Amino acid sequence: MKTIVFAGTSIGLEEAGKLSSATVHGPVKRGDVTQAVKQGYELIGIIDGIFFHRAAVGHREILEALRKNVTIVGGCSMGALRASEMDRHGMIGVGKIYEWYRDGVIEDDDEVAVATNPDTYESISAPLVNIRCTFLSAMNEGIISSVQEAFLLDIAKATHYSLRSYYGIIKSARDKEVLDEQTASCLLGFCRDTEVDIKRKDALAVLYRIKEFYL
């Protein structure tokens, strides 16, 4: 099957290409799926996509591709959003983030949105889904309490997606005296060294699902 994968932020293009044996492209935007269908792609993987500063990939173009028997697999970021909205029409959703959107555990686009380097697509802010998982892990490790975790998430949610960072969130909590200096320092080290990168895990899940079509 002629295959294309839209990635670059949650997982690098080179790695995505190696793992999927597909043509790789940067984050999907409006019109890219239509163009891929015109170019004869039979299998489309959507991981990363454009969110707010340009038109996002449209539901109608995905639906039209599905009607033409093109297989579309989505997860992780924009892929998870669109899969949760289009799975009833045949789009294949993969991964934990897709399940969260599908089940209403999370709802907002900014849960997966990040600021990126326009030349490399590399993320330069922290996605809220990763922040949620990492603070939950820190709570389970006894570094922070459930009350502190909830407060930290409130700060993260109130911060614009392009400005989210573990340092900024923890500093704000320290300034508000929700965390003492020792706890803040310990938490920052934990986030730096053991971040739960759920977006990368789900990006890999999309690529592995695509490879199954070749077996």
Side-chain angles (χ1 to χ4, degrees), residues 13-90:
L13 294 178
E14 183 177 356
E15 184 178 8
K18 289 179 179 178
L19 291 174
S20 64
S21 301
T23 299
V24 292
H25 194 284
V28 69
K29 61 183 182 302
R30 182 72 55 86
D32 282 347
V33 168
T34 298
Q35 188 63 29
V37 174
K38 289 180 179 178
Q39 292 171 350
Y41 287 101
E42 304 163 279
L43 175 56
I44 298 173
I46 301 178
I47 295 174
D48 295 309
I50 301 299
F51 278 90
F52 300 118
H53 58 284
R54 294 183 65 178
V57 61
H59 302 82
R60 184 173 297 178
E61 63 183 303
I62 292 174
L63 182 59
E64 185 62 26
L66 293 169
R67 286 174 175 169
K68 292 180 178 179
N69 295 318
V70 175
T71 301
I72 305 180
V73 180
C76 176
S77 190
M78 178 60 76
L81 270 169
R82 288 295 179 262
S84 70
E85 298 159 341
M86 302 297 291
D87 53 5
R88 72 193 69 179
H89 300 290

Side-chain angles (χ1 to χ4, degrees), residues 4-214:
I4 186 169
V5 173
F6 295 93
T9 300
S10 303
I11 191 168
L13 294 178
E14 183 177 356
E15 184 178 8
K18 289 179 179 178
L19 291 174
S20 64
S21 301
T23 299
V24 292
H25 194 284
V28 69
K29 61 183 182 302
R30 182 72 55 86
D32 282 347
V33 168
T34 298
Q35 188 63 29
V37 174
K38 289 180 179 178
Q39 292 171 350
Y41 287 101
E42 304 163 279
L43 175 56
I44 298 173
I46 301 178
I47 295 174
D48 295 309
I50 301 299
F51 278 90
F52 300 118
H53 58 284
R54 294 183 65 178
V57 61
H59 302 82
R60 184 173 297 178
E61 63 183 303
I62 292 174
L63 182 59
E64 185 62 26
L66 293 169
R67 286 174 175 169
K68 292 180 178 179
N69 295 318
V70 175
T71 301
I72 305 180
V73 180
C76 176
S77 190
M78 178 60 76
L81 270 169
R82 288 295 179 262
S84 70
E85 298 159 341
M86 302 297 291
D87 53 5
R88 72 193 69 179
H89 300 290
M91 186 173 175
I92 300 169
V94 176
K96 185 62 67 176
I97 299 169
Y98 155 71
E99 293 174 358
W100 288 342
Y101 275 121
R102 181 197 64 194
D103 298 339
V105 176
I106 57 176
E107 297 179 350
D108 297 330
D109 293 3
D110 79 329
E111 290 277 350
V112 291
V114 293
T116 60
N117 182 317
D119 297 320
T120 65
Y121 308 122
E122 182 181 5
S123 172
I124 55 177
S125 64
L128 187 53
V129 287
N130 283 11
I131 293 169
R132 288 183 183 279
C133 292
T134 303
F135 286 158
L136 177 60
S137 180
M139 184 187 74
N140 290 336
E141 290 293 324
I143 297 171
I144 54 175
S145 68
S146 59
V147 172
Q148 290 169 326
E149 184 225 11
F151 197 95
L152 287 160
L153 288 178
D154 285 344
I155 294 173
K157 187 63 179 175
T159 304
H160 191 267
Y161 78 90
S162 64
L163 300 175
R164 287 178 183 141
S165 70
Y166 291 105
Y167 175 81
I169 295 165
I170 293 169
K171 181 179 184 302
S172 180
R174 175 70 184 94
D175 291 344
K176 298 178 189 302
E177 299 185 347
V178 175
L179 301 176
D180 59 37
E181 186 173 348
Q182 182 177 356
T183 302
S185 178
C186 184
L187 178 60
L188 183 59
F190 179 87
C191 295
R192 182 183 61 244
D193 298 335
T194 57
E195 179 190 20
V196 181
D197 193 349
I198 191 66
K199 286 189 75 176
R200 176 175 170 78
K201 291 180 180 178
D202 280 10
L204 291 170
V206 172
L207 299 175
Y208 295 150
R209 182 67 180 89
I210 286 171
K211 286 196 71 174
E212 291 178 0
F213 284 93
Y214 296 92

